[in-house]
Amino acid sequence: GESVGLHLPTLSVQEGDNSIINCAYSNSASDYFIWYKQESGKGPQFIIDIRSNMDKRQGQRVTVLLNKTVKHLSLQIAATQPGDSAVYFCADTYGGATNKLIFGTGTLLAVQP
Amino acid sequence: ETGVTQSPTHLIKTRGQQVTLRCSSQSGHNTVSWYQQALGQGPQFIFQYYREEENGRGNFPPRFSGLQFPNYSSELNVNALELDDSALYLCASSRDRKQETQYFGPGTRLLVL
């Protein structure tokens, strides 16, 4: 992905609902993908990752789906809680001497009580 | 908590000045990457250090420089500060340069006046 603009896409959900956050990446050679959560005033926090040889991976309350054909990544959060409110970034990288992460724009998840 | 620490937490400088930011990596990690995050955007890769050597650099001018020490802590130095350097500076550590999962510190908020 590439970061563009100053206005973050926002997803507003009700507490208890499931959330789906989407991300597009641009480098077809990318082989590793990570979702990070960033709360206001804090650094990005690792949530879940997936390699290009997989199309789905599950964690605790989170699932990441990877569609390499259309270069699309999604993060599903089950039973969304107020503590999930944050900006969510996808990042990708490809095998090489430097594993620099390329971050997407970010999505602001707002959980309504 | 990731175990990655950064100092200072906040800093105010004026144009033309120089600044040094510090990062202590997580125990057992020998690779540190630095990112710049402008307000409302995703982090942008500055450079990476592996075992005290620079191991890749993003699209940043030479006035951005760094160091890594034998204990794998790291410094980011920025000379001749410009207004656009105002941002959150993040460091991330990983077990090895080939280990893609990067764990971020809380960041240093730099304001250039």
Side-chain angles (χ1 to χ4, degrees), chain A residues 32 36 38 96-99, chain B residues 37 55 97-98 100-102:
Chain A
Y32 182 68
Y36 286 96
Q38 188 172 27
T98 302
N99 288 319
Chain B
Q37 186 177 24
N55 182 54
R97 60 179 176 169
K98 292 293 189 181
E100 301 93 340
T101 308
Q102 297 182 19

Side-chain angles (χ1 to χ4, degrees), chain B residues 19-53:
Chain B
V19 69
T20 297
L21 310 181
R22 295 178 176 84
C23 170
S24 291
S25 58
Q26 187 171 328
S27 178
H29 289 189
N30 60 22
T31 303
V32 172
S33 303
W34 285 92
Y35 293 82
Q36 180 195 67
Q37 186 177 24
L39 196 62
Q41 298 188 21
Q44 300 287 321
F45 176 77
I46 303 174
F47 43 57
Q48 182 181 86
Y49 277 84
Y50 167 70
R51 294 185 180 273
E52 302 179 59
E53 299 285 334

Side-chain angles (χ1 to χ4, degrees), chain A residues 40-107:
Chain A
S40 181
K42 296 184 178 181
Q45 174 189 351
F46 173 87
I47 302 173
I48 192 168
D49 59 1
I50 189 168
R51 297 193 181 277
S52 58
N53 60 351
M54 303 172 70
D55 53 22
K56 180 179 180 179
R57 190 168 188 217
Q58 289 184 291
Q60 187 178 11
R61 276 202 312 120
V62 294
T63 300
V64 55
L65 299 178
L66 174 63
N67 185 331
K68 296 180 289 294
T69 302
V70 295
K71 292 186 284 188
H72 182 268
L73 200 63
S74 69
L75 176 70
Q76 300 177 3
I77 304 174
T80 312
Q81 302 168 0
D84 295 327
S85 294
V87 177
Y88 288 79
F89 290 99
C90 67
D92 61 277
T93 188
Y94 59 91
T98 302
N99 288 319
K100 69 174 184 180
L101 295 173
I102 306 298
F103 281 81
T105 305
T107 297

Side-chain angles (χ1 to χ4, degrees), chain B residues 2 4 9-10 29 54-55 57 68 71 73 79 84 93-94 100 108-110 112:
Chain B
T2 63
V4 180
T9 55
H10 296 83
H29 289 189
E54 187 180 288
N55 182 54
R57 188 179 183 91
Q68 188 178 32
N71 67 354
S73 65
N79 294 322
D84 284 349
S93 75
S94 52
E100 301 93 340
T108 294
R109 175 72 63 187
L110 173 64
V112 182

